[in-house]
Amino acid sequence: MNNDSDNTKARLEQASQFYQKDDYAAAYDLWQPLAEQGNAQAQCNLGSLYAQGAGVKQDFALAKQYWMQAAEQNIAHAQYCLALLHEHGWGTAPDAANARQYYEQAAQNGHPDAQYNLAVIYDETGDLSEARKWYELAAEQGHPDAQFNLALLYDNGESVERDSSKARDYYEQAAQQGHADAQNSLGWLYYHGDGIEQDYGKAYEWYGKAAAQNDADALCNLGNLYLHGEGVDKDEAKACEYFEKAAEQGHAGAQYNLGCCYLQGVGVSRNDNRAKKWFKLAAAQGDEDAKHNLALMKKAKR
């Protein structure tokens, strides 16, 4: 019995090594007989090969068959994969009820992605208390999106008493994993001194990390730091560069700021046509300041 168990384990590990090296056919050759013998992990992995069309012809019906076999043996990842299959309609019509059922099974078995997706379902239906429960469980396993969404709940005081300290902790956990929205939010907390000592240098650091990932909010915020010389040497030209990067992504605040730069000749040569261009784009998104400036320019016949 022990020899059989050790042999199965060795074959599973060898197949995983082949898979990691993109040798899917070799992985299939090892997983397939194990799956036929009822090995749940091999069944789960074989389902993924068929779903991806990796080493075999893509076949969602076979993927579903193998995942169901593994799910019946309580393999959390197979349950999660079935949830995705039903949610996105892979080879079948989308079925939200079945997707939720499998997310619940996988989440109960500790699958962090399933816990996060289940939390999102509760979040979107307004059950923030239940959403927080699943966000917390996923966050404890290091899920950055769960950490960020949990931070938002504490930051906004939704389903819990507002706690900027806890919000900061969760933002930082996600930010340390490279979550751009969390990095920007952490920068915002440092900039405003919300539940933490105000520190423009730290704000610059975290805005910069998010901006390096082309996050529009962070690009705009970084532009403001350069514009006012907060946490960094004042550089109006660089401020405009960051505003433009964000504005080109459709960020209304950055479009307004860039319009002001062109209107006043700050960091760029004064150019009324470009000012109007950016004000119009911001105004189209409902920016009242941009609308006001356009009205002033029209009155002044500029």
Side-chain angles (χ1 to χ4, degrees), residues 8-301:
T8 297
K9 183 178 179 182
R11 291 162 70 189
L12 286 170
E13 290 177 354
Q14 186 180 12
S16 294
Q17 290 171 7
F18 281 130
Y19 182 85
Q20 290 166 11
K21 295 175 182 177
D22 297 337
D23 190 345
Y24 304 122
Y28 174 87
D29 287 341
L30 287 168
W31 280 331
Q32 198 276 336
L34 291 173
E36 295 305 318
Q37 293 167 27
N39 183 275
Q41 190 59 58
Q43 290 167 342
C44 180
N45 295 343
L46 210 56
S48 296
L49 289 184
Y50 277 109
Q52 297 165 24
V56 292
K57 183 179 179 180
Q58 189 176 54
D59 188 329
F60 286 116
L62 277 174
K64 181 180 180 181
Q65 174 185 315
Y66 281 113
W67 282 336
M68 287 188 71
Q69 291 173 6
E72 287 169 2
Q73 297 189 63
N74 231 24
I75 297 297
H77 190 66
Q79 294 162 339
Y80 172 70
C81 289
L82 284 169
L84 292 176
L85 179 145
H86 286 292
E87 180 178 7
H88 300 292
W90 296 341
T92 185
D95 187 332
N98 260 333
R100 180 167 179 164
Q101 174 189 336
Y102 281 114
Y103 278 138
E104 287 176 348
Q105 290 179 21
Q108 291 287 357
N109 282 321
H111 195 289
D113 289 327
Q115 292 170 337
Y116 170 74
N117 286 2
L118 186 58
V120 170
I121 290 172
Y122 281 114
D123 200 338
E124 290 176 346
T125 55
D127 191 344
L128 297 183
S129 179
E130 195 69 12
R132 178 165 55 88
K133 164 190 165 182
W134 291 108
Y135 282 143
E136 285 176 344
L137 289 169
E140 286 171 6
Q141 297 193 69
H143 196 293
D145 289 326
Q147 292 164 342
F148 175 70
N149 284 8
L150 199 53
L152 289 177
L153 292 182
Y154 280 107
D155 201 1
N156 298 323
E158 296 177 314
S159 83
V160 290
E161 185 176 345
R162 186 174 189 273
D163 189 329
S164 56
S165 179
K166 280 191 175 181
R168 182 197 69 213
D169 288 344
Y170 283 116
Y171 281 140
E172 188 159 9
Q173 288 176 35
Q176 293 288 2
Q177 295 191 70
H179 194 291
D181 287 334
Q183 291 169 338
N184 178 67
S185 296
L186 192 56
W188 190 93
L189 291 183
Y190 276 112
Y191 181 83
H192 292 277
D194 187 358
I196 194 172
E197 185 177 350
Q198 189 176 52
D199 189 329
Y200 290 146
K202 286 282 189 182
Y204 172 79
E205 175 188 344
W206 287 110
Y207 284 153
K209 289 179 185 293
Q213 298 188 64
N214 216 30
D215 182 271
D217 287 330
L219 288 165
C220 184
N221 289 336
L222 202 55
N224 278 317
L225 292 185
Y226 275 107
L227 184 64
H228 301 293
E230 296 170 327
V232 66
D233 291 337
K234 186 173 181 176
D235 189 330
E236 293 174 343
K238 188 164 283 190
C240 290
E241 290 175 12
Y242 282 113
F243 289 147
E244 187 163 11
K245 288 179 181 178
E248 287 174 347
Q249 293 187 52
H251 192 286
Q255 291 169 340
Y256 169 75
N257 289 348
L258 191 57
C260 289
C261 289
Y262 277 113
L263 181 66
Q264 300 165 13
V266 174
V268 290
S269 298
R270 181 173 165 177
N271 188 314
D272 284 359
N273 287 332
R274 290 188 178 180
K276 282 190 280 189
K277 167 192 170 181
W278 291 111
F279 285 147
K280 285 179 181 178
L281 288 169
Q285 297 190 66
D287 190 293
E288 294 300 326
D289 291 328
K291 293 177 184 178
H292 178 69
N293 281 7
L294 282 170
L296 291 177
M297 291 183 75
K298 184 177 181 180
K299 186 176 182 180
K301 297 182 180 180

